[in-house]
Amino acid sequence: MTSSYQKLQGKVAIITGGASGIGEATACLFVEHGASVVIADVQDTKGIETASKLGLHLATYMHCDVSSELDVENLIAFTIQTYGKLDIMFNNAGVWGKVIAQDVRDMDVEDFNYVMSTNVRGMALGIKHASKAMVEANIKGSIICNASISSILGDLDLPLAYTVSKHAILGLVRATASQLGKFGIRVNCVSPGAVHTPLLSSYIHELSSSTCMPSTKASQYSLLKPVDIAKAVFFLASDDSTAMNGTNLVLDEGYSSMRVAM
């Protein structure tokens, strides 16, 4: 691959939840286009394997629980110490939750807090500390958050806490894009439909074990591949998207636009 085609040549990126699924696919694409990548995850074995596959001179793994501010601070500090700067932050880590609750009357508050601490608090911490590093170094960086089609819909038979968290991510992106735009830092998000990832597989497994399996509307259209989402994240990370800030890029094969209300 020629350097003219490597649109992220010389860039340094962090990808949370980068050990598998969308994060792994994005890490592969970033490295392919010349970026150095820090893969952050709690799946240590898988994360180390992914970094090794990409090449340890191009990718590094670091354990990080995004709900912990200390972990996120250490992640940013490690990246700058190792590579000298931070250009791209992909806040990708997220969870379904441990309880499948389709009705607010069945909501488990502890599980709700668990989901929000990872999906919303984790994203907020990533934006906070990545943007601080970028502003201090006068880097006009790109911050991307992984939301979901659930950020614009509320009737997909998905866990309540998950849907609420994804709506919150959209608000977080819009608010921080407004604040950070004056520094030349762009904050955008991608909202995938159903993607063939370990996260979705685990949810489907939980549903199949449930005595009250819902008629998941999201199953009515084909699954996307992780690389489909990675390509959109790559676009938002590159200079090709310099005019985009505060954008929610929906990637669902038109499902949310064309679906018929039931």
Side-chain angles (χ1 to χ4, degrees):
M1 184 172 293
T2 63
S3 59
S4 62
Y5 187 64
Q6 292 180 314
K7 294 186 177 182
L8 300 183
Q9 184 67 45
K11 302 287 188 180
V12 176
I14 291 174
I15 301 175
T16 67
S20 60
I22 293 170
E24 179 183 11
T26 304
C28 291
L29 192 57
F30 278 14
V31 167
E32 183 181 340
H33 278 266
S36 298
V37 175
V38 175
I39 297 168
D41 212 304
V42 294
Q43 303 177 86
D44 295 335
T45 300
K46 179 61 177 173
I48 292 170
E49 290 175 355
T50 299
S52 298
K53 178 181 68 175
L54 295 176
L56 294 180
H57 61 298
L58 298 171
T60 308
Y61 173 74
M62 183 173 183
H63 180 94
C64 179
D65 175 356
V66 296
S67 69
S68 164
E69 185 160 20
L70 180 59
D71 274 17
V72 175
E73 285 184 283
N74 288 339
L75 172 64
I76 303 297
F78 169 81
T79 301
I80 294 173
Q81 181 180 14
T82 303
Y83 296 106
K85 60 174 182 172
L86 174 63
D87 300 285
I88 302 160
M89 181 75 178
F90 180 29
N91 294 305
N92 170 66
V95 296
W96 284 115
K98 300 175 182 177
V99 178
I100 297 178
Q102 304 302 323
D103 192 304
V104 68
R105 293 169 296 176
D106 302 320
M107 182 179 69
D108 183 297
V109 175
E110 289 187 5
D111 187 63
F112 184 90
N113 290 337
Y114 163 70
V115 173
M116 297 296 283
S117 69
T118 298
N119 292 7
V120 183
R121 173 186 165 91
M123 298 266 177
L125 290 174
I127 295 173
K128 173 184 176 179
H129 291 288
S131 64
K132 285 177 65 176
M134 291 173 181
V135 170
E136 289 173 4
N138 194 30
I139 290 177
K140 295 176 172 58
S142 177
I143 299 174
I144 306 115
C145 294
N146 194 356
S148 165
I149 189 177
S150 296
S151 69
I152 59 172
L153 300 175
D155 62 344
L156 291 178
D157 289 330
L158 295 175
L160 173 67
Y162 179 84
T163 298
V164 173
S165 73
K166 295 303 182 176
H167 274 71
I169 289 169
L170 181 53
L172 176 66
V173 165
R174 288 173 172 166
T176 55
S178 176
Q179 293 180 357
L180 296 173
K182 63 185 177 183
F183 299 106
I185 298 171
R186 298 180 293 114
V187 186
N188 296 288
C189 64
V190 291
S191 284
V195 184
H196 187 68
T197 64
L199 184 64
L200 182 61
S201 296
S202 67
Y203 179 63
I204 292 174
H205 175 73
E206 290 293 331
L207 286 179
S208 65
S209 302
S210 173
T211 58
C212 185
M213 186 173 183
S215 56
T216 306
K217 298 180 182 68
S219 67
Q220 295 175 7
Y221 62 107
S222 60
L223 293 184
L224 298 166
K225 294 178 290 187
V227 70
D228 295 326
I229 313 307
K231 289 176 182 178
V233 176
F234 166 72
F235 167 68
L236 292 174
S238 75
D239 291 339
D240 289 343
S241 61
T242 52
M244 301 182 73
N245 191 30
T247 299
N248 182 25
L249 196 55
V250 179
L251 309 164
D252 66 353
E253 297 183 318
Y255 173 78
S256 59
S257 299
M258 297 184 293
R259 68 192 183 92
V260 177
M262 301 299 290

